[in-house]
């Protein structure tokens, strides 16, 4: 059974023109490889992605829910059919069923990463790229289907958790939706939505003719699209823009060109203009631009380095970028590029595989100053687009590299926990728990006939015979969080030069990050003779903040005691399947002067505690709060003993934390 | 009211005016968008939720426990049927059961992320789609979402927070007289539930009729352009994310007017609605001192408060 809710008409959405445009462009050209709408809740993202499907009534709509498992995504053996016939029958998965149709995803940011990646890359095999592990596995299972090309309409609220995972650069177009701040617009939004809610039927009727017009316009643009050509200059500019934006590979260039062609077709024109390119760049670039500071090792040669002959050679090709069918364009173009190069210039074969479309486009005259001007144009386009701001999360190092590899991911698949999302089935290991009945039945199904025939040893009243070898268990994916334990030095030395103020600021800014990441936080302060657990590990970052604000400072420095207390607080998380990755953040100047033992050496005691923490495999970060001209560097030694990542407070203050200090304390 | 003899009557709840009102508004407009009740333990949160279903016999409360698995919530393969008949059948989960009813999540802030995701996914289009365990199924899933939480134990994800039309804070009664009355009634109820329920039957009936009347009145209420503009202005002033707040503000004010037996929205409806719709949407910046209490909101709205009097 499938239900279709009353949809709010696509054309009745107010104030999201760019998102509407992107969706319409993709409706015209499935080769644009998806539209990703990102924005805060309540900005009509879902309304739009479902609304646009109504403009393509001839296509099926496949909504991929968060609860999807790999078997449904890729297809699997039909258990029921197997029981009846004793033969293995393959049921295609959602991706196969989506081929040539439409896929919608409402909460792309919280879908398990590997599944979302599968959806995003489903069409990529066509392009002859090295198959992703899962893709290969699936294409073996998916009888005959190598790839699926479909319109992908996805929505996400990026600030719920992490900003924007890199995999989303697979999505062709990206639009960031904002809450409208325009009074008239907002009034209209509310007014229309209320009208729709009160009487959806007549509301839809009122927009019927506009909807029909849009449908016709999409159809017309689809017809016109193959005839839209890109001239060489624009091709070159597109390549330069992609280069300037620091986009790896050819994806961005190709998408830029495709988007420009589609915009042109949508506007009912056959000639493209630079305004179209600027508009296209606004959709194609923001989510795939790299930070300027990031080294780009694998980038191809810049167009300026090309030998002249090659440029003239490709002159003619550049004018005809092989529109062809909607799908496979990428592969066609690449193979065409390869073919041309083979034909005209044998020794360039290996290089041609890495030829960027810039080489394809070529420059009509090859003059240096013309290239210069194009480059500055490209820069202007890129600057006008602006980059999605990525939040730099703090990185923890683990003393045990292997452990780090496992826990570095925030999505962790595991067998045996009953929490989390069932993503796939696996052979059981160890005691049987959390049986995946669906997979078990699928395994048992083909053998039913044989087992029935040999049923003397079985109970004949049974409809189904399951043997231990059939049994599969569920693999569940848990969103693991981090448990951040702050161990803060609140001794007298911290009061000097308002160090405590700076430390509080630093912790606050870390807490902000923790809040965004939905981490658990805890707080231990040590001063005078003891360490106090001010806050056990909790999700309430607000509570941690409140405790921190009222944290008193003064007295001696029982560093070792503080560390020991921290270890005790974190240890339970190491042993238990808590789903939490513990990490300890120690803020101190390292000048220990109180020991737990009456005659102990405070510093040695601290070092020993640090070593125990390292031995326990806890990820740690030491923030050195030492200040002044003469520095003793105790905190650094402590960090070494703890195998911790080491920062000086000043380093952290340089960026966002400095602001946090000013505004919050 | 038959069969629910163990339920404490709604009309007998003492104090907690905001919570009671918020719950009732969700009965006046079942599509209002639910309510989040924030407060410490022992403040009659669960009692009140059970009591509203008791008040409206056609509504049932579907309880979503914190430890519920994803299968239980979204639905799964009917194993028994599969084993007995050798064919696949969908076994509906809590989201199916709650359709047209109340979905109640106690301690919603402690809910597993996967379950929150399931709620969000269903909320996006009011449809629960299941694509797992060889089952492909979708069914409508629109419900009155009622959540309770103790904020001391952690916050709710902003995306889920945004889905609640209303949020109210509940506290233990401060007034000694009221506290005594709470205990007196509770003891009377426990001593003889039937007798206690009988005693409140007339008031229950009256409340039920009032809600039914309000539901009819609501259909006749059309928000004026001025009031819509006011809600938009409030949304902009308070810098809430998205446009859901504006719409929910308007809908709440409409339900409020209907509940008061009017077809005309007055300024008080708007202000009162704002106090229930806005606070939890302004909490996304975690470190700003003090939650947005009603005073702060009043201050922020300032001149808008007098403007609404002209608008209505």
């Amino acid at each position: 059974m499938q239900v279709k809710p009353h949809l709010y008409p696509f054309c009745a959405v107010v104030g999201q023109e760019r998102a509407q445009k992107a969706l319409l462009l993709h409706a015209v050209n499935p080769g644009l490889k998806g539209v990703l709408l990102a924005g805060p809740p309540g900005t009509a993202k879902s309304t739009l992605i479902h609304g646009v499907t109504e403009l393509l009534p001839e296509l099926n709509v496949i909504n991929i829910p968060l609860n999807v498992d790999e078997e449904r995504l890729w297809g699997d053996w039909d258990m029921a059919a197997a029981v009846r016939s004793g033969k293995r029958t393959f049921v295609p998965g959602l991706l196969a069923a989506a081929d040539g149709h439409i896929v919608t995803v409402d909460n792309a940011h919280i879908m398990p990463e590997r599944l979302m990646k599968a959806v995003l890359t489903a069409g990529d095999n066509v392009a002859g790229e090295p198959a992703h592990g899962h893709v290969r596995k699936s294409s073996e299972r998916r009888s005959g289907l190598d790839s699926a090309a479909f319109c992908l309409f996805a929505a996400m609220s990026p600030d719920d958790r992490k900003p924007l995972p890199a995999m989303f650069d697979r999505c062709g177009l990206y639009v960031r939706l904002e809450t409208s701040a325009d009074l008239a617009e907002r009034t209209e939004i509310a007014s229309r939505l209320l009208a729709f809610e009160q009487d959806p039927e007549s509301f839809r009727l009122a927009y019927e003719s506009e909807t029909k017009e849009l449908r016709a316009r999409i159809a017309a643009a689809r017809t016109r699209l193959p005839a839209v050509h890109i001239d060489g200059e624009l091709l070159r500019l597109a390549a330069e823009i992609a280069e300037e934006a620091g986009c790896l590979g050819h994806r961005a260039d190709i998408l830029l060109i495709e988007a420009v062609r589609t915009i042109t077709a949508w506007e009912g024109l056959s000639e493209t203009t630079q305004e179209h390119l600027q508009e296209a760049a606004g959709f194609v670039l923001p989510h795939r631009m790299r930070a300027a500071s990031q080294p780009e090792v694998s980038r191809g040669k810049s167009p300026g380095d090309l030998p002249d002959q090659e440029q003239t050679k490709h002159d003619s090709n550049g004018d005809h970028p092989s529109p062809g069918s909607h799908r496979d364009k990428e592969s066609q173009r690449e193979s065409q590029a390869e073919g041309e190069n083979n034909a005209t210039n044998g020794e360039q074969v290996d290089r041609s595989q890495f030829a960027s479309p810039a080489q394809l486009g070529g420059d009509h005259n090859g003059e240096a100053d013309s290239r210069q001007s194009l480059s500055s144009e490209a820069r202007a386009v890129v600057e006008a687009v602006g980059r999605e701001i990525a939040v730099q999360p703090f990185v923890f190092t683990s003393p045990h590299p292997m452990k780090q590899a496992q826990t570095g991911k925030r999505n962790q698949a595991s067998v045996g926990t009953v929490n989390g999302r069932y993503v796939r089935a696996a052979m059981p290991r160890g005691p049987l728990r959390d049986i995946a009945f669906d997979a078990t039945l699928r395994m048992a199904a083909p053998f039913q006939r044989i087992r029935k025939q040999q049923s003397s040893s079985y109970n004949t009243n049974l409809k189904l015979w399951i043997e231990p070898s059939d049994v599969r268990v569920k693999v569940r994916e848990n969103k693991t969080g981090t448990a951040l334990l702050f161990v803060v030095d609140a001794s007298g030395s911290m009061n000097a030069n308002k160090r405590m103020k700076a430390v509080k600021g630093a912790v606050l800014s870390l807490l902000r990050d923790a809040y965004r990441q939905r981490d658990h936080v805890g707080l231990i302060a040590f001063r005078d003779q003891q360490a106090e657990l001010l806050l056990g590990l909790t999700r309430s970052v607000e509570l941690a903040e409140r405790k921190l604000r009222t944290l008193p400072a003064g007295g001696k420095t029982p560093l070792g005691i503080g560390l020991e207390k921290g270890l005790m607080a974190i240890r339970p998380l190491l042993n238990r399947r808590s789903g939490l990755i513990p990490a300890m953040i120690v803020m101190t100047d390292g000048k220990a002067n109180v020991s737990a033992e009456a005659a102990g050496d405070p510093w040695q005691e601290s070092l020993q505690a640090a070593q125990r923490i390292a031995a326990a495999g806890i990820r740690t970060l030491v923030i050195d709060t030492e200040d002044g001209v003469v520095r003793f560097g105790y905190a650094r030694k402590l960090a070494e003993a703890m195998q911790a990542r080491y920062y000086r407070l000043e380093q952290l203050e340089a960026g966002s934390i400095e602001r946090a200090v000013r505004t919050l304390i | 009211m038959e069969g629910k003899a163990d339920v404490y009557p709604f009309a007998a709840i003492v104090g907690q005016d905001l919570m009671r009102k918020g719950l009732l508004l969700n009965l006046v407009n079942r599509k209002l968008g639910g309510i989040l009740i924030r407060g410490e333990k022992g403040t009659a949160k669960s009692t009140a939720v059970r009591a509203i279903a008791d008040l409206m016999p056609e509504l049932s409360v579907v309880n979503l426990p914190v430890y519920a698995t994803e299968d239980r919530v979204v639905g799964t393969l009917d194993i028994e049927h599969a084993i007995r008949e050798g064919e696949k059948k969908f076994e509906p989960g809590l989201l199916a059961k709650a359709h047209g009813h109340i979905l109640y999540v106690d301690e919603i802030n402690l809910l597993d992320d996967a379950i929150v995701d399931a709620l969000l996914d269903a909320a996006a289009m009011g449809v629960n789609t299941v694509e797992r365990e060889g089952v492909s199924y979708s069914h409508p899933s629109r419900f009155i979402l009622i959540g309770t939480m103790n904020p001391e134990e952690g916050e709710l994800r902003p995306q889920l927070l945004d889905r609640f039309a209303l949020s109210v804070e509940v506290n233990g009664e401060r007034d000694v007289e009221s506290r005594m009355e709470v205990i007196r009634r509770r003891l009377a109820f426990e001593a003889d539930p039937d007798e206690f329920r009988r005693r409140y039957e007339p008031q229950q009936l009256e409340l039920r009729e009032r809600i039914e009347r309000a539901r009819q009145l609501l259909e006749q209420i059309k928000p004026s352009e001025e009031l819509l503009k006011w809600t938009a202005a409030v949304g902009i002033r308070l810098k809430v994310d998205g446009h859901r707040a504006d719409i929910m503000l308007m809908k709440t004010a409409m339900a409020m007017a209907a509940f008061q037996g009017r077809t005309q929205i007055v300024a008080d409806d708007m202000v009162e609605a704002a106090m229930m719709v806005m606070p939890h949407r302004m909490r996304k910046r975690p470190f700003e001192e003090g939650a947005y209490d009603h005073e702060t909101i009043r201050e922020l709205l300032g001149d808008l408060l007098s403007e609404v009097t002209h608008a209505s």
Side-chain angles (χ1 to χ4, degrees), chain A residues 42 69 179 186 421 463 474, chain B residues 71 84 117 133 242-243 246:
Chain A
D69 59 16
T179 309
R186 265 177 102 135
R421 190 182 279 122
K463 282 275 193 318
K474 291 179 177 177
Chain B
D71 312 7
R84 228 177 320 110
D117 293 352
E133 299 174 75
H243 309 116
D246 312 9

Side-chain angles (χ1 to χ4, degrees), chain A residues 16-56:
Chain A
Q16 302 294 2
E17 288 80 11
R18 282 192 73 240
Q20 280 169 314
K21 184 76 175 277
L23 293 166
L24 288 168
L25 293 178
H26 191 29
V28 171
N29 184 354
L32 289 174
K33 294 194 175 284
V35 176
L36 179 64
L37 302 185
T43 43
K45 298 181 301 291
S46 283
T47 305
L48 284 166
I49 66 170
H50 293 280
V52 71
T53 64
E54 284 202 307
L55 302 179
L56 300 163

